[in-house]
Amino acid sequence: MKIAGFSQALLFVGCLLMAAVASAVIETYEFSSPELQQRYQLLSAELRCPKCQNQNIADSNAPIAQDLRKLLYEQLEAGASNDEILDYMVSRYGEFVRYRPAFDSSTAVLWLAPVLLFIAALVVLFLSLRQRKESGSAGQVELSGEEQQQLQQMLSRSEQDR
Amino acid sequence: MQRLKLFLPLALFAILALLLFRGLELDPREMPSALIDKPLPEFSLPRLGSDSGIARVDVVGEVALFNVWATWCVSCRVEHPYLQQLAENGVPIYGVNYKDDDAAAIQWLQDLGDPYRANIVDAQGSLGLDLGVYGAPETYFVDASGVIRYRHVGVIDERVWQSRLEPIYRELTQEAQQ
Amino acid sequence: MIAEFGHFALIITLCLSVLLSVVPLWGAWRGNVVAMSLAPSLAIGLLVFAGISFACLATVFLQDDFSVAVVAANSNSLLPSIYKFSAVWGNHEGSLLLWILILCVWMAAVALFSSQLPLLMLSRVLAVMGVVAVGFISFSLFTSNPFARLLPGTPADGQDLNPLLQDPGLIIHPPLLYMGYVGFSVAFAFAIAALLGGRLDASWARWSRPWTNVAWAFLTLGIMLGSWWAYYELGWGGWWFWDPVENASFMPWLAGTALVHSLAATEKRGLFKSWTVLLAIFAFSLSLLGTFLVRSGVLTSVHAFATDPARGLFILVFLAFVVGGSLTLYALRAPAVSSRVSFAWLSRESLLLFNNVVFLVSTLTVLFGTLFPLIMDALGQGKYSVGPPYFNAVFVPLMAVLIPFMGIGPVSRWKGDSAARWRAELMLPAIAAIICGVTVPLLHGGEYNVWVALAVVLAAWLLFGLARDVWYRIRGASSLARGWRRLTPSYCGMVIAHLGFAAAVVGVVATSQYNIEHDLKMQPGDTEVIAGYSFTFTEVAQVRGPNFVADEARFDVYENGRLLTRLAPQKRRYLASGQVMTEAAIDDGLWRDLFVAMGEPIGNEGAWAIRLHYKPMVRWMWLGAIMMALGGFATVADKRYRQRKAVRTPAEEGVSGAAA
């Protein structure tokens, strides 16, 4: 939910041509092949608008987002691969501009975390269940010598009470 | 031992709380330039108010500020007087006139004063794109060998200059003298 | 005057909540019945005064009192009355007051509907909720006072409510969402009360379950409404962005789902008590964490409120106190030894544990992904973004892994079961599911989509498994009516909720895979065809609303040559703020949505950039969510929760002596 604070921040960081904060952004590019259009849709959803509050360039109508969309279109038509386009953007705007973090030494932990967590959880589960079985299957509870004595005392007392 | 394991959630939470506490001091919207410690991009563009062009080779060689501005940018208007002051104190400032109209820009500088050594006309925003500009005003600190060392996003005023930017400028000039 | 009255009522609410946190707890510690029985009355009193405070805030909004700061910032004289009312919670301060009101609603509900709860337990539960209330009311009064005045210099009119919020969605989404968020505080309070009392038994689980299920159901509805609202309001047909604020509501839901299932095992078999208590603490902690993330400015989001690190610090300290305190209590008081009750590897208990594993891993994954940019920034490693491509890639496989086991769960037996029995019961549903899954994508035509086939197999697996189980239970009865009565509300709730999940899965996958989007330039007279639907742009007209003017583009939609409907998206400009907004036009249907939105005008001949969407089965997602919520609500009707005040043993009364 946006409030006045947002527009003030915007004014400080930069200026916009229009105050249009929430218009649908519809680009009418003509692509030379449907495959390029699909790649455009994919990449424009993956690239982050550098100045917006968490929007991809497909959804934002900030001027920089428009520029980046145009750039994306031109590069796709020029035959660049997805990786080349992403590298181009990252070298200018930093890793910040990718919604799908690259898989490298810094982000490996992010990508591997779900799988590792899942395996770890299963292992913990397995171990604790096995432990439960072992203590359960030990059968009767073993009483220490002192506890045996206490038990005898209690039993004899209750017999007396009867 | 069993009891100790139960303290694990608390320990994890403590780490999280520390992280969040640190997070309160950070600004998630602050974006350092991706071009820090990289050379100023190559360009060859028109020069404002002149028939000759201007290229990278013309502007590197000394420590300088590159200020991205435009007439449609309200904040640029706000920071302009201070840039004037800096220029009078001898700070070299080059302007990147970003996606603007030449005539309006020339008029603007005539009315308000011209703090710039020269103005690069970036009508399409191509230099801006290579620099990673996302909104005006932005100012890039370039050292004597043409390497970008710092980027400031937003208005430069007395407070910002004294507290954060002046030390950087001084360090770069001292470095250049060595 | 009214604002001051509301402010005063809020101060009284704070005083009452302080009393509620202290007196009954002391009473429980000392065995003082008078002190303990104060708790329900205090809870009701809290609701009364919180209600008064909220009513006062609503009144100043409805009366256009622009001397009150939040009214001036968020309302306008031209705003329709209903939105003046919902503007109360369309801002940070007001929404916090709503949070407080809803917390008081839950407290009063617990006070009223807990006749079978021992006073010792009830007083502790309400006291814990009182502590939470103290935190939030203090936060409101000391840092975010909704009744602050703008004097002198009262503006003549307000800055208007953000046009995006001028919508029925704002009226119901936050209240329902908060009912869920805040509702988990009840489960949390029960957990803490159990730890305080040192008595962690199956009856604690039985008392907790209805409250938890209802809170979970509300949260499901709240999230669903948020998704639906974004879909039709934002103008580009998106329904989930894995935005930090969205994740802040999704994480408690994931943890809550694990909790709902874990409580089942604890109630029925007295198992996993320690783990379930931890889950209850975890779910509510995530609610509080969500509050922090949304209001502190630590993460960037379009949904965030006015961010202020000072406020963030207050919430963080409160979070540290509540969560840190409860986890410390857990570490000290939870039983270190697990119960001796055992179960086989193949059993309902194991399946429920697997459910917990999947949902716990999902929660932690979403948490890690949401916080990753912050972690990297704090470590000085640079600025990163983690968005939908990442979350979709990691979340979907987890759900896919869950569903096969989800089909076995309802059929499985407690304590011990056999693979042979499972094979016998579920062979038929499995085969039917595979046939269904393989053939259904053929119905859609076009390219055969493997993902849709997989999704249909999984959903059909759930459907047929449940259908077979229901049939199995009914068929023994003498008549159909008798048969239905054999199904308890608890069981029916489970069936409906699981079916809802299946529907949602199908909806999500179908809409992601089959949706078609055309962005193009259209002029009046142009026609575009998508998926057999023909959209003809007829004209653009100027229309006027109560507080806006708009360009309206009119479309005739034909199906097989026959006029199906007329759609009229608008491009609105709101008069007070000057903001421009797109209002999409949607023809909704069970099997597909047709979506038309306007972009910018192109050139001078009346051409516009137009977006046309064909979105198959997108409603299934939200209908599935509604079914899940209905299932959650249904379980509460079960007889075992409606027992009259049972005869209590003196031990339960806890009257005599030290009951710590």
Side-chain angles (χ1 to χ4, degrees):
Chain A
M1 300 177 195
K2 283 180 269 202
I3 26 56
F6 169 61
S7 12
Q8 280 162 10
L10 219 55
L11 210 58
F12 174 74
V13 168
C15 312
L16 291 182
L17 274 169
M18 347 173 209
V21 172
S23 322
V25 177
I26 299 170
E27 291 291 1
T28 54
Y29 292 126
E30 305 255 333
F31 289 93
S32 52
S33 86
E35 194 237 329
L36 281 180
Q37 179 171 41
Q38 273 179 349
R39 284 173 61 200
Y40 173 83
Q41 280 179 351
L42 184 75
L43 285 173
S44 60
E46 249 184 56
L47 287 167
R48 182 171 185 168
C49 165
K51 81 179 308 173
C52 315
Q53 282 184 320
N54 203 28
Q55 279 180 305
N56 53 34
I57 60 174
D59 294 341
S60 164
N61 65 336
I64 184 66
Q66 281 173 1
D67 291 344
L68 290 177
R69 281 197 302 271
K70 183 148 152 288
L71 186 66
L72 178 62
Y73 170 71
E74 284 164 3
Q75 296 218 321
L76 279 169
E77 288 289 332
S81 74
N82 285 4
D83 281 334
E84 282 166 5
I85 297 174
L86 285 171
D87 283 338
Y88 184 92
M89 298 291 187
V90 168
S91 63
R92 283 153 182 74
Y93 291 96
E95 289 290 339
F96 181 81
V97 84
R98 294 187 61 162
Y99 268 131
R100 181 168 54 90
F103 188 82
D104 56 36
S105 50
S106 327
T107 59
V109 64
L110 178 70
W111 284 104
L112 295 176
V115 164
L116 293 176
L117 272 174
F118 189 64
I119 295 174
L122 285 177
V123 166
V124 166
L125 186 64
F126 179 73
L127 289 176
S128 58
L129 285 188
R130 205 174 53 167
Q131 189 189 49
R132 175 191 290 269
K133 296 231 180 309
E134 272 162 22
S135 62
S137 66
Q140 304 307 313
V141 176
E142 297 289 338
L143 293 175
S144 69
E146 197 188 295
E147 286 169 322
Q148 284 273 30
Q149 258 190 331
Q150 283 180 336
L151 179 60
Q152 291 293 23
Q153 282 175 352
M154 279 193 260
L155 284 174
S156 49
R157 228 185 303 134
S158 67
E159 272 190 41
Q160 285 167 6
D161 288 338
R162 218 174 283 147
Chain B
M1 189 50 214
Q2 281 288 89
R3 184 58 62 180
L4 219 57
K5 269 195 262 187
L6 293 175
F7 276 94
L8 187 60
L10 181 64
L12 291 172
F13 174 69
I15 298 173
L16 176 68
L18 279 169
L19 173 70
L20 295 175
F21 181 67
R22 177 85 185 93
L24 285 174
E25 297 162 6
L26 299 169
D27 182 3
R29 270 194 292 244
E30 191 187 282
M31 245 199 355
S33 168
L35 292 169
I36 302 285
D37 294 335
K38 295 219 179 62
L40 188 70
E42 278 295 340
F43 65 91
S44 174
L45 291 167
R47 188 191 292 252
L48 187 69
S50 156
D51 286 332
S52 63
I54 181 169
R56 182 179 185 276
V57 65
D58 300 323
V59 299
V60 302
E62 58 169 345
V63 177
L65 269 53
F66 282 77
N67 176 250
V68 178
W69 68 279
T71 53
W72 45 258
C73 162
V74 175
S75 303
C76 304
R77 178 85 176 69
V78 170
E79 98 176 325
H80 189 88
Y82 197 74
L83 289 181
Q84 196 78 18
Q85 213 182 324
L86 287 177
E88 278 160 25
N89 289 343
V91 177
I93 311 181
Y94 288 94
V96 178
N97 190 228
Y98 181 63
K99 297 175 74 172
D100 207 351
D101 171 58
D102 277 14
I106 293 172
Q107 185 65 45
W108 205 77
L109 291 174
Q110 267 174 6
D111 293 341
L112 301 172
D114 188 355
Y116 303 109
R117 289 280 175 86
N119 253 302
I120 306 159
V121 175
D122 190 15
Q124 303 301 318
S126 55
L127 177 59
L129 215 55
D130 283 338
L131 283 170
V133 169
Y134 58 87
E138 289 182 19
T139 307
Y140 292 79
F141 285 66
V142 179
D143 70 14
S145 27
V147 172
I148 298 176
R149 302 292 289 274
Y150 187 77
R151 167 176 76 179
H152 176 75
V153 173
V155 168
I156 298 183
D157 58 19
E158 175 76 34
R159 192 180 51 88
V160 170
W161 179 258
Q162 291 302 339
S163 59
R164 230 189 306 163
L165 303 179
E166 203 270 329
I168 298 173
Y169 178 70
R170 205 166 359 111
E171 191 192 310
L172 292 178
T173 39
Q174 275 172 359
E175 206 182 83
Q177 278 158 10
Q178 283 158 7
Chain C
M1 196 54 220
I2 297 180
E4 279 65 38
F5 202 55
H7 193 186
F8 187 56
L10 195 58
I11 296 175
I12 296 182
T13 316
L14 178 63
C15 299
L16 289 177
S17 59
V18 170
L19 279 176
L20 180 57
S21 346
V22 171
V23 174
L25 264 185
W26 174 84
W29 181 41
R30 283 284 186 227
N32 185 320
V33 179
V34 172
M36 286 195 280
S37 44
L38 218 51
S41 328
L42 282 172
I44 309 277
L46 268 168
L47 177 60
V48 167
F49 282 97
I52 291 174
S53 189
F54 189 82
C56 289
L57 189 60
T59 309
V60 296
F61 263 92
L62 287 167
Q63 286 182 342
D64 285 339
D65 184 356
F66 298 116
S67 66
V68 177
V70 288
V71 181
N74 296 286
S75 185
N76 187 275
S77 49
L78 291 175
L79 199 59
S81 293
I82 188 71
Y83 296 132
K84 284 186 189 168
F85 180 64
S86 55
V88 170
W89 53 82
N91 59 84
H92 165 71
E93 294 86 349
S95 66
L96 209 51
L97 193 58
L98 179 67
W99 220 104
I100 293 167
L101 176 67
I102 290 182
L103 182 61
C104 296
V105 167
W106 280 103
M107 278 197 272
V110 171
L112 288 173
F113 292 111
S114 300
S115 50
Q116 51 166 320
L117 206 58
L119 186 59
L120 187 60
M121 188 77 173
L122 180 64
S123 55
R124 284 198 176 116
V125 168
L126 289 175
V128 170
M129 293 180 80
V131 171
V132 176
V134 169
F136 275 88
I137 304 173
S138 311
F139 182 53
S140 176
L141 278 175
F142 298 132
T143 73
S144 322
N145 184 5
F147 298 106
R149 293 267 192 192
L150 264 183
L151 297 167
T154 300
D157 209 335
Q159 286 170 17
D160 203 13
L161 185 64
N162 186 324
L164 279 176
L165 304 179
Q166 292 183 29
D167 184 84
L170 177 64
I171 303 176
I172 31 173
H173 162 64
L176 282 177
L177 192 69
Y178 287 7
M179 281 294 280
Y181 260 161
V182 179
F184 280 128
S185 68
V186 181
F188 172 76
F190 270 96
I192 300 297
L195 286 173
L196 284 173
R199 242 184 67 171
L200 214 55
D201 55 14
S203 51
W204 158 75
R206 183 162 45 86
W207 295 322
S208 280
R209 265 189 101 179
W211 297 106
T212 310
N213 288 1
V214 170
W216 178 88
F218 273 118
L219 188 58
T220 310
L221 283 177
I223 295 175
M224 168 244 147
L225 279 165
S227 164
W228 177 57
W229 183 22
Y231 169 76
Y232 74 76
E233 183 67 5
L234 290 180
W236 46 80
W239 42 265
W240 190 257
F241 194 66
W242 295 104
D243 177 88
V245 169
E246 293 172 13
N247 294 349
S249 67
F250 197 48
M251 287 187 281
W253 186 86
L254 291 168
T257 307
L259 179 62
V260 163
H261 290 85
S262 188
L263 273 172
T266 309
E267 181 192 11
K268 286 273 167 57
R269 300 267 289 144
L271 285 165
F272 320 141
K273 293 184 289 240
S274 191
W275 169 243
T276 307
V277 161
L278 188 60
L279 265 182
I281 296 175
F282 189 44
F284 185 59
S285 305
L286 288 169
S287 287
L288 291 179
L289 180 67
T291 308
F292 173 79
L293 289 176
V294 173
R295 295 168 197 267
S296 63
V298 156
L299 294 171
T300 344
S301 164
V302 280
H303 302 276
F305 288 107
T307 56
D308 183 353
R311 287 172 174 166
L313 188 61
F314 192 109
I315 307 179
L316 184 60
V317 169
F318 179 60
L319 188 70
F321 174 67
V322 171
V323 179
S326 47
L327 287 176
T328 309
L329 185 65
Y330 171 80
L332 294 172
R333 296 295 288 262
V337 183
S338 48
S339 59
R340 289 263 155 68
V341 183
S342 69
F343 52 91
W345 286 110
L346 296 180
S347 61
R348 187 177 278 196
E349 289 91 332
S350 298
L351 289 169
L352 284 173
L353 278 178
F354 185 71
N355 160 296
N356 274 199
V357 163
V358 170
F359 278 100
L360 182 68
V361 172
S362 311
T363 313
L364 292 173
T365 302
V366 173
L367 182 64
F368 191 44
T370 307
L371 291 178
F372 187 75
L374 177 60
I375 296 173
M376 293 304 262
D377 198 10
L379 293 174
Q381 296 294 313
K383 300 278 186 182
Y384 283 83
S385 301
V386 180
Y390 170 78
F391 286 108
N392 289 334
V394 301
F395 187 75
V396 172
L398 277 170
M399 291 296 115
V401 163
L402 173 73
I403 296 180
F405 296 91
M406 199 174 152
I408 307 175
V411 168
S412 62
R413 289 206 181 122
W414 293 106
K415 199 166 168 68
D417 209 335
S418 70
R421 198 184 138 260
W422 286 350
R423 207 172 23 243
E425 303 239 341
L426 295 169
M427 181 58 82
L428 210 56
I431 296 175
I434 294 176
I435 295 176
C436 213
V438 166
T439 54
V440 160
L442 295 169
L443 289 173
H444 185 264
E447 209 180 292
Y448 188 82
N449 193 305
V450 172
W451 300 113
V452 174
L454 183 62
V456 176
V457 167
L458 291 174
W461 163 240
L462 290 177
L463 170 67
F464 293 134
L466 286 167
R468 194 209 173 284
D469 195 51
V470 170
W471 166 245
Y472 194 72
R473 285 177 191 237
I474 298 180
R475 69 173 184 192
S478 46
S479 75
L480 200 59
R482 282 247 171 78
W484 283 116
R485 247 179 272 139
R486 279 193 184 182
L487 304 175
T488 62
S490 198
Y491 177 77
C492 288
M494 183 273 289
V495 170
I496 298 171
H498 282 205
L499 284 177
F501 187 77
V505 165
V506 171
V508 165
V509 177
T511 209
S512 313
Q513 295 294 316
Y514 285 146
N515 93 79
I516 303 174
E517 199 178 291
H518 284 188
D519 289 352
L520 68 158
K521 167 176 160 190
M522 285 183 90
Q523 248 168 316
D526 287 348
T527 298
E528 177 77 2
V529 179
I530 302 185
Y533 294 92
S534 174
F535 296 81
T536 304
F537 187 2
T538 54
E539 58 168 346
V540 182
Q542 304 285 320
V543 296
R544 201 189 170 83
N547 53 347
F548 64 85
V549 289
D551 288 311
E552 189 177 275
R554 295 182 180 154
F555 284 82
D556 285 346
V557 185
Y558 294 87
E559 187 185 8
N560 299 325
R562 209 174 38 87
L563 180 68
L564 178 67
T565 183
R566 290 208 160 89
L567 292 173
Q570 291 177 346
K571 193 87 177 178
R572 296 181 180 177
R573 192 171 60 79
Y574 283 83
L575 300 168
S577 55
Q579 275 187 313
V580 178
M581 219 196 68
T582 266
E583 191 77 12
I586 305 176
D587 181 49
D588 52 303
L590 184 60
W591 295 100
R592 92 288 173 282
D593 267 28
L594 299 173
F595 186 102
V596 187
M598 296 165 74
E600 297 300 311
I602 299 176
N604 297 321
E605 282 109 49
W608 284 79
I610 299 287
R611 168 166 294 175
L612 300 167
H613 271 233
Y614 165 73
K615 295 182 107 60
M617 297 179 77
V618 67
R619 309 258 143 189
W620 281 56
M621 198 187 348
W622 304 314
L623 289 173
I626 293 178
M627 282 173 73
M628 285 197 272
L630 281 175
F633 285 126
T635 61
V636 174
D638 206 270
K639 242 191 291 183
R640 62 179 184 262
Y641 304 127
R642 279 187 281 127
Q643 276 156 8
R644 275 181 235 328
K645 211 165 161 128
V647 174
R648 298 187 196 166
T649 66
E652 275 187 347
E653 285 286 275
V655 173
S656 51

